[in-house]
Structures are given as C-alpha cells and as structure tokens.
C-alpha cells in the first residue's frame, strides 16, 4: 500500500500565506532565489498554481523542500489556450523544486507574478484539508484490468480523486514522464475546484517529483 493525503476541501485564507506550507494560489513562498518559469511559446510568466511540501510525499529526501507548480494560462477574460500545457516537455508547465532542484526551462527572478483567480477574476489563495489514507501500489493498465471486477473497482475507487502523493489514476494509458523514477506529487481534477484553472475540457492534472527530490514534471490527461 501507498500513503496518500486526500484533499477533502479548500479553505480561503483571508490573508496571504508567508510560510512554505502546502497551499493553492497566492504567490510562491520561495525557499531559495525566485525561479519563476517562463512560457516557451508566449515568453510570459506562467501562472502559479500552488506549492506542496515534499516531506510527506517522498519522506526524508523531501524534508525541508517545496515543489512549486506552474502552468501557462490566460488572464481573466483573456481568450487563449496553449495545447502544449498537457505535455511534460512542451515548455508550458513546470514543477520547480527548492532548494537544490533542477529545471531546464527559462526562469526569471520574480518574487510575484500571475496566480490563481476566481470566477470573477479576483486573486484567490487556499489552504487544503488533507486526510491521510492508504491506496494500492502503482499498476499498469494490464495489471489493473486483470483483477476481478470487484477488486478492480475497489482499486479505482481508492486511487480516484484529488490528492497529494499516492498512486496516479491515469485514464488514458500509463503516461509516466520520461526519466524518473517518479512519485506522484499531485492529482487534481481541475474542473471541480473553487478557482478557475482551464486545462482542457475534462482534464486531470498529474504532477510528479523524482524520488530524490531533485526535479519535477507535470502532465495533463483530458477526455
């Protein structure tokens, strides 16, 4: 079994968070020098989605580290969508790990930049209600399909939903990024969150971090 932290809810903070704790929205609380990733196609800062403490995800290798998640994204009432946002190597998303993480794309030393916004366009920031749980180890599609129907349904139920850490529930084949080995950092169905995050029509975001806590990747599956 694999330990996960299930996201049971989001709570608006009311004031900016200034500590390197897990959160969504607002601005990054950098542990080292600012490394704001830049869109490869648009030459503009990506939008900050959130930051996640790595200790609970990968254990001792992640103690004292934070992963910062970004995507290329339109401003409120701006109409553009870059399809390369789904690709871990497309230059339109980023997972920055500090301290000591590596990132191959362009960055700028910005302490603040575009963040999450609500349906009215106002900036938002949330803490998360996390509940620990256990779920099955990672399985290939073939391994999952070979289980008896009841066991397969139970595994899918346990792996489904928004969470930090645990086992990814892919729905378009086993799509681990190249490299690794990777651990799931974040699984998020972005159509059902209290902020606007356009990643496609029915998307699921998967962010990953290497087992040594040195780098991250992000991909999106969309039905």
């Amino acid at each position: 079994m694999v330990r996960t932290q299930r996201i049971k809810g989001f709570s608006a903070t009311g004031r900016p968070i200034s500590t390197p704790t897990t959160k969504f929205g607002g601005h990054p609380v950098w542990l080292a020098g600012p490394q704001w990733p830049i869109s490869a196609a648009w030459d503009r800062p990506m939008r900050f989605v959130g930051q996640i403490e790595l200790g609970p995800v990968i254990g001792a290798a992640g103690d004292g580290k934070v992963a910062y998640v970004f995507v290329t994204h339109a401003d409120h009432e701006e109409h553009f969508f870059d399809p390369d946002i789904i690709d871990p190597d497309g230059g339109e998303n980023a997972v920055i790990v500090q301290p000591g993480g590596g990132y191959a794309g362009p960055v700028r030393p910005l302490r603040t930049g575009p963040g999450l916004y609500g349906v009215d366009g106002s900036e938002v920031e949330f803490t998360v209600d996390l509940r620990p749980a256990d779920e099955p180890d990672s399985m290939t599609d073939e391994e999952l399909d070979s289980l008896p129907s009841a066991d397969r349904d139970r595994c899918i139920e346990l792996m489904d939903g928004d969470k930090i850490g645990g086992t990814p529930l892919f729905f378009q084949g086993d799509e681990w990024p190249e490299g690794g080995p990777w651990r799931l950092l974040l699984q998020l169905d972005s159509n059902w969150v209290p902020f606007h995050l356009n990643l496609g029509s029915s998307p699921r975001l998967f962010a990953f971090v290497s087992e040594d806590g040195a780098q991250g990747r992000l991909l999106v599956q969309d039905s």
Side-chain angles (χ1 to χ4, degrees), residues 83-197:
D84 286 339
I85 196 173
I86 70 172
D87 184 353
D89 299 305
E92 305 305 333
N93 63 57
V95 178
I96 306 289
V97 177
Q98 287 191 351
Y103 176 68
V107 298
R108 294 177 186 164
L110 305 175
R111 292 200 171 274
T112 61
L116 293 180
Y117 55 85
V119 294
D120 62 354
S122 60
E123 292 186 0
V124 294
E125 187 172 14
F126 297 91
T127 57
V128 284
D129 177 12
L130 299 173
R131 305 289 175 82
D134 292 316
E135 56 188 34
D137 292 319
S138 180
M139 290 178 280
T140 65
D141 282 351
E142 291 77 12
E143 290 170 332
L144 186 61
D145 289 341
S146 69
L147 295 175
S149 178
D151 292 342
R152 181 175 65 253
D153 291 347
R154 178 57 176 162
C155 285
I156 290 173
E157 179 184 3
L158 289 172
M159 295 186 294
D160 201 7
D162 298 337
K163 59 188 180 181
I164 292 172
T167 302
L169 181 58
F170 297 120
F171 59 87
Q172 291 181 334
D174 302 320
E175 199 178 353
W176 293 91
E178 294 184 3
W182 302 106
R183 299 281 294 275
L184 180 69
L185 174 68
L186 172 66
Q187 178 173 293
L188 189 70
D189 290 317
S190 61
N191 282 2
W192 311 107
V193 291
F195 43 83
H196 181 72
L197 186 59

Side-chain angles (χ1 to χ4, degrees), residues 171-172 200-204 220-223:
F171 59 87
Q172 291 181 334
S201 58
S202 297
R204 174 168 283 185
V220 176
Q221 291 190 335
D222 191 12
S223 60

